Amino acid sequence: MKGLMMNRPLKIADILEFAASSHQNGEIVSVRTEGDVHRTTYRETARRVAQLARGLRDLGVDVGDRVATLAWNGYRHFELYYATSGMGAVCHTINPRLSAEQMLYIIKHADDQLLFTDLTFIPILESLAGDLPAHLRIVVMTDRAHMPNSKLPGLLCYEEILEDQPQTIVWPDFPEDTAAGLCYTSGTTGNPKGTLYTHRSTVLHALLLAVSLPNVLQEGRKILPVVPLFHVNAWGLPYAAPLAGASLIFPGPALDGKSLFDLMDREKVFSAWGVPTVWIGLLNQIRAEGRLPAGFADVVIGGSAAPKSMIEAFEQAGVNVCHAWGMTEMSPVGTQGNLPKALDDLPPAERIDRKCAQGRRLFGVDLKIVDDDGAPQPHDGTSPGNLYVRGNTVTAGYFEDEAANADVFDADGWFRTGDIATIDADGFLTITDRAKDLIKSGGEWISSLDLENVIMSHPKVMSCAVIAVPHPKWDERPLLVIQPRDEDRPDKQELLDMLSEHFAKWQLPDDVVYVDGLPLTATGKVSKLTLRKQFADHALPDAV
Ligand code: ADP
């Protein structure tokens, strides 16, 4: 028997309408590329979003059309999220750190009709000009006074599109599985692959995030997404924050430790979200200032494993660490690492250890770990397996990419994450490696993440990575790549001694190399692919 309740489509536009009427004090504060700070409210934003959507309609944008963005975190980018999806079009966020070749590939693959860009990225677009599709029109996200002198033909001005448009709109009706957003993964192998979010998946993800992180997602809180709007919807914050009534502080282009510290201090940011590499800079600045930014109480770290030393540094300074795990294909959040109340009395050292795990699943995200034959592994915290996920916020297939879809789902429709993980009896997930980053030595696997975790706590180490290099006898052996904090670098023996307190001899790296900086991927993670290529011919001391 069917129930007798209304069935209204979940729609993204309803989030902003709700925030505009119910969270009147919710603010959006943006550091602009023009150099100043801009402040607005959700109420005012809803008016501008209506104007922008009407302007887009006048430019010929229709239901299902893809509208691209090449922009930092700021209020205009936020407006585009809502105006495009509200009218039934698709907001395709482009990561400006992609190579020219990848950028051209996704613009063409997505068949973008319009491209909105921040002033900063005009030179990138100029360099691509000859190869951009002829029908693609470019809008510069600024006002008339700041429009650039550019050789790009027919540039449109953002503020002029809004000008003179009415400040209200009646959003069209469409089914909740209508496409709303498109984000390509950086594609460490092959071409980038697009995840096509729906209204339903996006609204559900916002709700799941809000119930999972009630300490942060509530009225009056100020949240700083350092995680970019150009990658996986800034982890869902542009939707979850207005839904919950929290304010968004957008940092613009300056993401170094000092700029972040000053902005957080000025705006009294409660919670900041981003990948570990960003927090190295902020922690350095906190050390230099001898204090936290005013009001700073919570940090959400994800995208790659948060090193133990980083978790310790924040927690000891009084900042709650939420270590989260997810993927572009998962909207993106899958697990969150705040501890349950039952663990309130854990001694500090055990608390830190628990926080090194990637946390527990969000409601609606199912996890399973299986061996290479598909047999489920026990949830005992020690048996690793290939991690698969399922749920309403998980992709059902990459956008127009049959080849990529052929091998990412198992026979029961679960999505293969490519991560290797354990799950313990309390549901804590620990990522031990990405399958492609594991080191296979003489038939045994060595976890690069475990080794890195220990090395990161060395005071002279700024950052590090452990990668596999080919070995004639053992297949692969680990190589430790170190970025020292300064000239006074830790020596090889000292690092190996440190590791031997925690690992068996055969798991220790065969060699240590020093670099001035580690290569980063387009999403700000250490690029092990680049390092593996760079050190492919590295002669290990005992490889004879
Ligand atoms: P990209 O590969 O373009 O960076 P994603 O941002 O979707 O794309 O990356 C998802 C991957 O990042 C996950 O499969 C996992 O390997 C890694 N990851 C994300 N969060 C964590 C975390 N907290 N700890 C360890 N690995 C993580």
Side-chain angles (χ1 to χ4, degrees):
M1 185 166 79
K2 276 201 167 189
L4 270 171
M5 300 303 284
M6 289 187 192
N7 193 351
R8 303 274 312 137
L10 298 173
K11 289 198 338 200
I12 291 173
D14 290 337
I15 294 179
L16 189 58
E17 301 265 300
F18 176 71
S21 63
S22 299
H23 297 309
Q24 293 152 24
N25 295 327
E27 259 195 308
I28 301 180
V29 178
S30 313
V31 177
R32 292 204 280 197
T33 50
E34 291 96 329
D36 56 351
V37 174
H38 174 272
R39 314 187 85 88
T40 186
T41 59
Y42 289 130
R43 181 165 284 189
E44 170 61 19
T45 300
R47 294 191 198 111
R48 281 178 51 92
V49 165
Q51 291 181 300
L52 176 58
R54 285 171 174 275
L56 287 174
R57 209 185 272 160
D58 289 353
L59 286 169
V61 175
D62 213 339
V63 174
D65 282 349
R66 268 76 74 196
V67 175
T69 63
L70 192 58
W72 298 108
N73 288 4
Y75 67 103
R76 291 188 182 113
H77 204 171
F78 179 96
E79 289 165 358
L80 276 160
Y81 265 53
Y82 280 91
T84 50
S85 60
M87 60 192 294
V90 180
C91 183
H92 168 208
T93 51
I94 300 179
N95 186 334
R97 298 185 189 121
L98 292 177
S99 67
E101 190 192 347
Q102 288 177 322
M103 216 180 266
L104 283 173
Y105 170 84
I106 65 171
I107 288 172
K108 289 178 188 164
H109 188 265
D111 190 20
D112 294 323
Q113 300 299 306
L114 272 179
L115 190 155
F116 283 78
T117 179
D118 266 336
L119 282 163
T120 336
F121 303 119
I122 294 288
I124 295 187
L125 290 173
E126 284 176 339
S127 71
L128 300 180
D131 297 316
L132 289 170
H135 68 263
L136 183 75
R137 276 175 300 168
I138 297 173
V139 184
V140 188
M141 295 160 73
T142 189
D143 54 21
R144 176 49 52 194
H146 291 88
M147 280 298 279
N149 269 328
S150 169
K151 63 176 189 197
L152 289 163
L155 285 184
L156 299 167
C157 167
Y158 187 95
E159 291 301 329
E160 285 183 356
I161 293 176
L162 275 74
E163 230 166 56
D164 301 329
Q165 294 284 0
Q167 298 186 335
T168 57
I169 191 165
V170 178
W171 297 110
D173 270 330
F174 41 74
E176 63 182 11
D177 61 357
T178 301
L182 177 60
C183 179
Y184 285 78
T185 59
S186 25
T188 41
T189 53
N191 281 324
K193 295 170 285 187
T195 303
L196 192 57
Y197 309 104
T198 64
H199 281 258
R200 175 181 159 81
S201 69
T202 307
V203 173
L204 285 175
H205 185 262
L207 288 166
L208 299 183
L209 214 50
V211 292
S212 304
L213 299 177
N215 59 321
V216 171
L217 288 162
Q218 59 173 274
E219 205 180 342
R221 293 288 198 232
K222 296 187 175 189
I223 307 178
L224 175 84
V226 181
V227 46
L229 287 167
F230 59 69
H231 189 60
V232 249
N233 307 321
W235 296 350
L237 278 176
Y239 306 112
L243 182 82
S247 294
L248 286 168
I249 314 298
F250 286 133
L255 305 177
D256 59 285
K258 176 152 174 41
S259 303
L260 289 179
F261 186 101
D262 292 347
L263 175 65
M264 291 169 72
D265 200 39
R266 216 172 44 234
E267 296 297 334
K268 312 227 167 5
V269 165
F270 178 86
S271 178
W273 297 36
V275 295
T277 32
V278 165
W279 306 131
I280 295 177
L282 181 70
L283 279 169
N284 281 343
Q285 191 62 26
I286 289 173
R287 272 184 214 112
E289 304 262 349
R291 68 178 180 100
L292 291 173
F296 183 33
D298 183 272
V299 63
V300 177
I301 312 179
S304 51
K308 182 173 181 182
S309 54
M310 180 175 284
I311 298 178
E312 252 163 6
F314 276 125
E315 290 265 331
Q316 282 165 6
V319 177
N320 175 61
V321 172
C322 175
H323 186 192
W325 165 86
M327 298 182 78
T328 305
E329 293 87 337
M330 300 174 67
S331 303
V333 184
T335 63
Q336 63 82 22
N338 283 334
L339 300 186
K341 284 259 175 278
L343 298 182
D344 267 357
D345 297 332
L346 273 188
E350 282 179 46
R351 182 181 159 81
I352 303 282
D353 283 343
R354 279 293 180 136
K355 293 213 165 190
C356 288
Q358 277 74 4
R360 293 164 302 145
R361 71 188 181 98
L362 265 54
F363 170 75
V365 179
D366 298 336
L367 309 175
K368 75 171 177 183
I369 43 172
V370 299
D371 68 12
D372 288 344
D373 299 322
Q377 297 300 289
H379 290 192
D380 57 9
T382 57
S383 309
N386 300 300
L387 178 61
Y388 283 76
V389 291
R390 184 178 70 178
N392 287 310
T393 54
V394 176
T395 182
Y398 293 109
F399 177 54
E400 294 187 356
D401 199 336
E402 286 317 310
N405 289 333
D407 69 341
V408 284
F409 297 98
D410 73 5
D412 300 319
W414 291 68
F415 175 77
R416 177 165 53 78
T417 63
D419 288 332
I420 311 290
T422 61
I423 299 176
D424 74 9
D426 296 326
F428 280 85
L429 175 86
T430 300
I431 304 287
T432 55
D433 236 321
R434 271 188 158 184
K436 56 178 181 274
D437 292 336
L438 272 174
I439 301 152
K440 194 171 192 187
S441 167
E444 298 282 346
W445 297 107
I446 298 174
S447 160
S448 60
L449 289 188
D450 287 352
L451 291 165
E452 288 161 12
N453 223 345
V454 171
I455 293 297
M456 281 300 287
S457 65
H458 194 293
K460 293 179 185 170
V461 172
M462 173 81 104
S463 195
C464 75
V466 176
I467 53 162
V469 289
H471 189 283
K473 179 168 173 200
W474 301 109
D475 247 353
E476 291 176 347
R477 288 294 301 155
L479 172 71
L480 173 58
V481 187
I482 294 282
Q483 179 189 357
R485 229 170 243 291
D486 50 39
E487 317 274 87
D488 179 20
R489 61 193 207 182
D491 74 30
K492 177 175 165 182
Q493 201 48 50
E494 183 182 350
L495 293 165
L496 294 181
D497 288 348
M498 188 176 178
L499 287 172
S500 42
E501 286 173 31
H502 305 267
F503 298 96
K505 196 157 180 299
W506 64 271
Q507 295 172 313
L508 300 185
D510 282 17
D511 205 1
V512 180
V513 290
Y514 301 86
V515 293
D516 290 338
L518 290 166
L520 298 183
T521 67
T523 48
K525 308 175 191 188
V526 172
S527 173
K528 293 195 176 174
L529 186 78
T530 312
L531 284 175
R532 276 208 306 272
K533 281 188 191 149
Q534 194 176 332
F535 291 103
D537 299 325
H538 181 77
L540 293 171
D542 72 334
V544 281

